[in-house]
Amino acid sequence: MTIWNLGSINADHVYAVPHIAAPGETLAASALSRGLGGKGANMSVAAARAGARVEHLGAVGADGGWMVERLESYGVGCAHVQRREGPSGHAIIAVDAQGENAITLWPGANREIDLDAVKQALDGAGAGDLLITQNETIGQVEAAALARARGLTVVYAAAPFEAEAVRAVLPHLDLLVLNEIEARQLAEALGTPVERLDVPDIVVTLGARGCDWIETASGARHHVDAPKVEAVDTTGAGDTFTGYLLAGLAQGLPMQEALERASRAGALKVGRRGAADAIPTAEEVDRAAF
């Protein structure tokens, strides 16, 4: 079973700061690093490191060769990553002393994906495969509709959050993953609680408090606690969680077990600085003692 990920690929420029800057404030950073990031790339790396087969659908610019090489080094299939003449996507990330972050994104090549090429790539997908997409690229609705028609399980991570983008893709979804702020914003925009949406499964992440899994047909809500850890850098923690969740489902784990493993992976990630490059391996997750 393969996970097909229509997702962003970014270069992350990470600045360590004493606190997140207020409007008009100038801060001196104490450290700077560059690494692989983007919600899509993070999820692909997490799923691959969890042991799943992953094919990434996305684009980089002329400066993005090193990012493709990095993805491949982590076991992500990149045969369908497109090359563009302009710049790749990048992120400016400020991380404070408590591990919280503020992020500014430049989409770059992520908004220049050829959707015909995406459709051709999905010709190679089989019934039972999974498609995951987020909101940092283009073509989410088209890819989701095509994947659903071909019998794939369709998953959407609703970030960066735009209510209309979620509304458009909802009819094609099997699983929706979003955080509690996004869940509240979506409920307000649609005028209905998320547990009443016509999506079979919804996962609401709660940060350090874990996550809730909602089975909408029955209304059952299941809670999974997150391990207690000291946060160093929360960048990519949610993406790590989602990638591990998808890998667990692709590997046949029951939802509850997949969520528990994903929570452990996310907890390990917040103890490390960086995004995709800091995502733990399956061995690290399975042997971790919290």
Side-chain angles (χ1 to χ4, degrees), residues 10-16 31-39 41-43 45-46 49 66 70 74 91 93-96 99-101 103 231-241 265-280:
N10 289 336
D12 282 353
H13 303 275
V14 184
Y15 298 83
L32 167 64
S33 63
R34 186 186 76 163
L36 175 65
K39 299 193 72 64
N42 294 343
M43 291 180 191
V45 171
R49 300 205 100 184
W66 70 271
R70 190 76 59 85
Y74 291 135
I93 305 173
V95 180
D96 71 13
E100 294 298 330
N101 61 52
I103 303 175
V232 171
D233 183 357
T234 58
T235 307
D239 304 332
T240 299
F241 171 93
L268 281 179
K269 168 60 201 70
V270 300
R272 304 173 175 185
R273 298 192 185 279
D277 300 315
I279 292 172

Side-chain angles (χ1 to χ4, degrees), residues 13-102:
H13 303 275
V14 184
Y15 298 83
V17 295
H19 58 267
I20 303 301
E25 181 180 14
T26 298
L27 288 176
S30 59
L32 167 64
S33 63
R34 186 186 76 163
L36 175 65
K39 299 193 72 64
N42 294 343
M43 291 180 191
S44 282
V45 171
R49 300 205 100 184
R53 180 185 175 189
V54 183
E55 291 291 337
H56 197 96
L57 311 173
V60 297
D63 56 345
W66 70 271
M67 291 186 280
V68 175
E69 292 175 1
R70 190 76 59 85
L71 280 168
E72 290 175 333
S73 75
Y74 291 135
V76 177
C78 292
H80 305 291
V81 174
Q82 304 165 26
R83 306 298 181 105
R84 293 290 173 264
E85 293 183 359
S88 300
H90 72 257
I92 303 300
I93 305 173
V95 180
D96 71 13
Q98 287 71 48
E100 294 298 330
N101 61 52

Side-chain angles (χ1 to χ4, degrees), residues 39-246:
K39 299 193 72 64
N42 294 343
M43 291 180 191
S44 282
V45 171
R49 300 205 100 184
R53 180 185 175 189
V54 183
E55 291 291 337
H56 197 96
L57 311 173
V60 297
D63 56 345
W66 70 271
M67 291 186 280
V68 175
E69 292 175 1
R70 190 76 59 85
L71 280 168
E72 290 175 333
S73 75
Y74 291 135
V76 177
C78 292
H80 305 291
V81 174
Q82 304 165 26
R83 306 298 181 105
R84 293 290 173 264
E85 293 183 359
S88 300
H90 72 257
I92 303 300
I93 305 173
V95 180
D96 71 13
Q98 287 71 48
E100 294 298 330
N101 61 52
I103 303 175
T104 300
L105 288 174
W106 169 253
N110 295 310
R111 298 289 187 183
E112 299 177 8
I113 295 171
D114 180 347
L115 296 185
D116 287 336
V118 170
K119 293 175 183 178
Q120 291 174 12
L122 288 175
D123 285 341
D129 286 357
L130 291 86
L131 172 76
I132 172 69
T133 186
Q134 319 82 33
N135 205 29
E136 289 183 350
T137 65
I138 59 173
Q140 293 92 344
V141 176
E142 294 87 346
L146 179 62
R148 168 60 73 86
R150 295 188 176 181
L152 278 68
T153 297
V154 182
V155 186
Y156 184 72
F161 182 78
E162 293 180 17
E164 291 308 309
V166 183
R167 189 198 300 270
V169 81
L170 277 176
H172 311 295
L173 299 185
D174 297 290
L175 171 60
L176 173 64
V177 182
L178 68 176
N179 65 35
E180 59 182 331
I181 296 173
E182 294 159 350
R184 183 169 63 250
Q185 292 173 328
L186 183 60
E188 292 172 354
L190 300 182
T192 186
V194 294
E195 54 264 30
R196 294 184 183 175
L197 296 178
D198 189 20
V199 178
D201 293 292
I202 297 173
V203 173
V204 180
T205 59
L206 308 170
R209 293 182 285 115
C211 67
D212 285 347
W213 161 40
I214 304 166
E215 298 178 275
T216 58
S218 64
R221 194 176 190 112
H222 314 271
H223 180 73
V224 175
D225 284 325
K228 304 302 180 185
V229 296
E230 183 176 349
V232 171
D233 183 357
T234 58
T235 307
D239 304 332
T240 299
F241 171 93
T242 302
Y244 262 83
L245 170 60
L246 295 178

